[in-house]
Amino acid sequence: MTGTMTINQAGHLEIGGCDTVTLARQYGTPLYVMDEEAVRRRAEQYSQSLRGLEDSEIIYAGKALLTVGIAALVKQMGLSLDVVSGGELYAAAQAQFPMEKIYFHGSNKSAHELKMAVDYGVGRIVVDSLYELELLSDILVQSNRECDILLRLTPGVEAHTHSHIQTGQSDSKFGFGIATGQAKAGVEAASKLPNVHLRGIHCHIGSQIFEVSPFKAAVESMMDFLAETNNAGYGLRELDIGGGLGIRHTPEDDTLDIEEYGQFLVKTVRQAAQARGLPIPKLMIEPGRSLVGEAGTTLYAVGTIKELPGIRTYVSVDGGMGDNPRVSLYGAEYTGLAASKMNASETKVYTVAGKCCESGDKLLFDVELPVLVPGDILAVPATGAYNYSMASNYNMLPRPAMVSVYQGKSELLVEREQYHDLVRLHRIPERWQ
Ligand code: LLP
């Protein structure tokens, strides 16, 4: 149980003062539930966590979860926003997000996306390659605009996390390698090209990281690079070390808290600057998962229950890999709560499967839950990050609705997809009619 979760008098799971069984009835299932207070609390913790530095910025990584409503909340909480595509940028614009607080990322931004970012006037474009640097400079010259940029570097740090979400190692599709000399070449090129203003450097070493040591290694490597470039007279003042702080999916996960992580970074950056005789740079961090992950819970309705004697009991729910692809993609582990009977004492061990025609579509393995019957509501916590944002329509399942809950009130963030939405863009070639 995290955030504002409690058990109410009916024995139901309550989030943000809302009975989840009532939410399931009202909005249907599967349903993503976002605990607004839990997000706000974490944003506040982040805002406090870098205190002691003269200049710092918390940039929410929208790839974890972005809807127009979430962009509006991020704006209200006073955080900046990292977007990685024209689509995310468009969503932010729909929420009137202040453009100067937007960081535009991506390892293969198209000319169209760069032009869009330039026209919108985003705060920083985080340039990932020499090709992009030249493309951006051309676009700026043509449109008679200027732009502040950061260069994304790969510091050669291997974070201990799933290989699919490791990004800081030297063999990476991202950024300019420090070890290969590409980073230095990038800085030299940026300083010569017209209309781009290089302000600093960025790295992101991976995601769902539970220890401070890889962050320390990244800061050290980045500060070495800052020292080298500053000795050469480039005067870069900004250090963005990306996101990556892990969250608890199951009670066994042991993560750092935001305060501990932030203050560790402050200390490390300070000491690293001192050791190299550098001014302390502005420090930026880009948390995604750790801001919204634990604040999200998915509600499902229980359907078919199959007992395989001597093997296991499968409980099927009305969602699965379509709304949460992380289990089959990364082997991510979650837990479940029997939202409709939180106080039931008789339990059983279940494997919870999704409804896709795919054996791998499972959500929970061998979890002990109160004895379930069809119609019960199952809650899977910690699904706020990289669930909706990675959801698919596999098997033509409509994507779930999303609501925010706060002090007993629920409001829609995303409407449930309907069948007509699924075929809205489909066309029949004339010859087939
Ligand atoms: N900044 C950059 C440049 C990033 O690439 C990412 C995540 C973040 C910030 C935010 O990282 P976070 O704080 O959320 O760990 N789909 C995968 C995660 C991919 C993360 C990609 N980049 C998953 O579901 O685990």
Side-chain angles (χ1 to χ4, degrees):
M1 305 256 281
T2 58
T4 65
M5 283 183 179
T6 53
I7 301 172
N8 66 16
Q9 284 190 335
H12 296 168
L13 176 67
E14 212 173 84
I15 308 175
C18 295
D19 183 315
T20 53
V21 176
T22 308
L23 290 175
R25 208 174 295 134
Q26 189 179 348
Y27 297 99
T29 49
L31 180 68
Y32 295 116
V33 179
M34 288 307 297
D35 182 345
E36 178 183 332
E37 199 172 311
V39 178
R40 286 187 183 277
R41 248 186 243 160
R42 284 184 176 74
E44 189 48 39
Q45 285 168 3
Y46 263 116
S47 302
Q48 299 299 323
S49 72
L50 298 186
R51 70 182 177 283
L53 286 182
E54 212 161 279
D55 203 1
S56 64
E57 193 170 347
I58 310 292
I59 305 161
Y60 168 61
K63 59 183 81 64
L65 172 69
L66 194 66
T67 70
V68 176
I70 293 291
L73 175 63
V74 174
K75 172 180 157 189
Q76 209 180 69
M77 296 188 306
L79 305 186
S80 301
L81 181 66
D82 141 5
V83 300
V84 289
S85 66
E88 288 189 356
L89 183 54
Y90 182 81
Q94 296 305 298
Q96 272 90 48
F97 201 91
M99 286 297 151
E100 68 281 4
K101 291 174 82 170
I102 290 193
Y103 285 67
F104 190 38
H105 286 267
S107 59
N108 187 24
K109 304 175 192 75
S110 68
H112 178 262
E113 286 175 316
L114 288 171
K115 176 87 171 63
M116 190 175 166
V118 166
D119 288 345
Y120 276 135
V122 302
R124 297 276 184 281
I125 294 181
V126 185
V127 175
D128 199 277
S129 66
L130 216 46
Y131 166 72
E132 183 189 327
L133 191 58
E134 287 164 1
L135 187 59
L136 174 62
S137 178
D138 284 349
I139 291 170
L140 288 164
V141 169
Q142 273 161 29
S143 34
N144 199 21
R145 303 282 292 265
E146 318 232 320
C147 183
D148 288 328
I149 64 166
L150 302 180
L151 289 191
R152 174 161 183 169
L153 311 185
T154 36
V157 172
E158 295 201 10
H160 301 134
T161 186
H162 193 286
S163 62
H164 290 187
I165 51 178
Q166 237 183 19
T167 48
Q169 72 280 17
S170 294
D171 180 358
S172 168
K173 72 165 183 169
F174 295 102
F176 295 80
I178 294 183
T180 56
Q182 284 164 334
K184 192 160 167 260
V187 170
E188 283 163 7
S191 68
K192 289 192 193 114
L193 284 166
N195 298 32
V196 290
H197 303 291
L198 179 61
R199 301 296 179 205
I201 53 176
H202 166 278
C203 72
H204 170 77
I205 54 172
S207 206
Q208 190 62 350
I209 297 170
F210 291 109
E211 53 201 356
V212 288
S213 52
F215 292 113
K216 182 168 166 51
V219 168
E220 297 287 348
S221 163
M222 296 292 274
M223 289 296 282
D224 279 342
F225 187 76
L226 271 188
E228 186 188 327
T229 48
N230 283 8
N231 285 341
Y234 289 105
L236 308 181
R237 295 273 176 272
E238 298 180 6
L239 174 62
D240 182 339
I241 61 138
L245 181 62
I247 64 162
R248 223 169 253 123
H249 283 125
T250 69
E252 288 77 51
D253 289 335
D254 183 20
T255 182
L256 300 162
D257 66 38
I258 291 170
E259 165 75 14
E260 195 183 342
Y261 163 72
Q263 283 297 298
F264 177 82
L265 290 179
V266 169
K267 191 181 81 189
T268 309
V269 168
R270 271 220 193 109
Q271 286 174 351
Q274 210 168 25
R276 291 162 183 79
L278 282 175
I280 297 172
K282 171 178 177 182
L283 178 66
M284 294 98 112
I285 53 175
E286 300 171 341
R289 189 192 318 265
S290 52
L291 260 167
V292 294
E294 288 185 51
T297 301
T298 311
L299 303 179
Y300 301 97
V302 169
T304 303
I305 299 175
K306 262 185 207 162
E307 297 216 18
L308 310 185
I311 305 177
R312 67 180 68 249
T313 303
Y314 281 103
V315 168
S316 287
V317 293
D318 53 357
M321 65 187 288
D323 57 83
N324 183 357
R326 300 195 67 260
V327 180
S328 43
L329 209 50
Y330 314 116
E333 284 179 40
Y334 290 85
T335 53
L337 298 169
S340 49
K341 44 173 68 154
M342 295 292 286
N343 296 328
S345 51
E346 202 189 336
T347 63
K348 213 175 148 132
V349 173
Y350 293 109
T351 289
V352 176
K355 69 180 266 125
C356 282
C357 298
E358 180 117 358
S359 303
D361 182 14
K362 298 193 186 84
L363 286 175
L364 310 173
F365 302 87
D366 298 327
V367 285
E368 189 176 352
L369 291 167
V371 173
L372 297 168
V373 294
D376 271 329
I377 301 299
L378 182 78
V380 176
T383 57
Y386 305 109
N387 272 233
Y388 172 75
S389 64
M390 294 176 75
S392 80
N393 289 121
Y394 183 44
N395 287 177
M396 280 221 180
L397 301 180
R399 277 173 296 181
M402 189 188 306
V403 293
S404 73
V405 290
Y406 185 68
Q407 298 186 347
K409 203 164 166 252
S410 63
E411 280 187 88
L412 267 178
L413 283 171
V414 183
E415 285 187 39
R416 181 172 305 282
E417 250 174 353
Q418 302 297 323
Y419 292 142
H420 59 82
D421 295 317
L422 296 178
V423 297
R424 192 171 61 85
L425 304 173
H426 294 194
R427 301 289 179 267
I428 306 176
E430 217 170 290
R431 289 185 303 111
W432 301 354
Q433 291 178 15

